[in-house]
Amino acid sequence: MKKIFAILAFAAMTLTVSAQNMKTFDGKLFSCQYPAEFEAEDQWDDEAFNAKGKDEVGFLSVSIGDQDMTVQQLKEWADGMRSMTEKSFGEPTGWKAGAATVKGKQVTFRAEGEEEVDDTKVPAVKYVYLYVTPQKKCFSGELKFKKSDEAKYKPLVDKIIASCKAK
């Protein structure tokens, strides 16, 4: 019996710690969660939310639209975004995008590159995503952070996407 209570107490502490790592944005058109150490930027548009990390590399963007997409269209979107990640106006950006992963009506891909912070190039990672809800609302954006923080932020990508709720 003591083992059961110990397991339940550990599970409760784990859930509490996990919940403390996230804040909630509650806008006019949608809500979502984001990393607690990020600061929300001024919301200039009801269809978009941005938050920045304190380290000048961390960044989250979430936007909402009205669009349903087939799995093929999700793959085509990902191919286009991967291309835009690697090249801007035909010039290399220094980012290298990996293969896209499609799970149902969600597509994500990981990219590696560098961000300049105080004249120093910092290795960075970003996860770019698109998610179509059953209500045909489309959420897209990215989560970017220092590569050294990937173990901390990678598990949050799916949590952020799952937290996106249209109003």
Side-chain angles (χ1 to χ4, degrees):
M1 190 64 128
K2 288 182 183 179
K3 286 183 181 179
I4 292 173
F5 285 120
I7 291 170
L8 290 174
F10 178 75
M13 288 186 323
T14 302
L15 289 173
T16 302
V17 169
S18 176
Q20 290 174 346
N21 292 336
M22 303 292 275
K23 292 182 198 175
T24 300
F25 164 74
D26 189 18
K28 183 177 178 181
L29 298 179
F30 70 95
S31 64
C32 67
Q33 292 186 328
Y34 63 102
E37 61 275 9
F38 280 38
E39 292 297 323
E41 292 185 335
D42 290 335
Q43 189 179 0
W44 50 269
D45 185 343
D46 291 334
E47 297 172 344
F49 169 71
N50 295 322
K52 284 192 157 200
K54 295 175 184 172
D55 63 10
E56 296 186 41
V57 173
F59 179 74
L60 171 71
S61 69
V62 180
S63 62
I64 187 173
D66 291 316
Q67 185 172 1
D68 192 13
M69 299 176 94
T70 66
V71 171
Q72 182 59 35
Q73 289 170 321
L74 287 172
K75 290 177 183 178
E76 290 169 4
W77 179 89
D79 288 343
M81 290 302 292
R82 288 176 60 239
S83 179
M84 287 175 45
T85 297
E86 292 181 345
K87 291 184 181 175
S88 178
F89 300 104
E91 295 295 320
T93 61
W95 285 86
K96 178 68 177 151
T101 303
V102 178
K103 291 189 280 184
K105 290 278 192 140
Q106 174 182 318
V107 63
T108 58
F109 68 86
R110 177 185 181 277
E112 281 192 41
E114 294 179 329
E115 288 291 312
E116 194 161 317
V117 178
D118 298 326
D119 297 324
T120 303
K121 292 190 184 251
V122 177
V125 169
K126 64 179 163 181
Y127 284 83
V128 179
Y129 65 88
L130 181 111
Y131 166 61
V132 180
T133 71
Q135 297 78 29
K136 298 178 177 49
K137 296 292 184 181
C138 182
F139 288 96
S140 62
E142 71 178 45
L143 177 62
K144 181 175 61 173
F145 45 84
K146 290 180 181 177
K147 187 174 180 180
S148 60
D149 290 336
E150 188 162 15
K152 176 181 179 179
Y153 289 114
K154 181 182 178 188
L156 298 184
V157 175
D158 285 335
K159 286 182 181 182
I160 291 167
I161 295 168
S163 76
C164 293
K165 305 289 184 229
K167 293 185 176 182

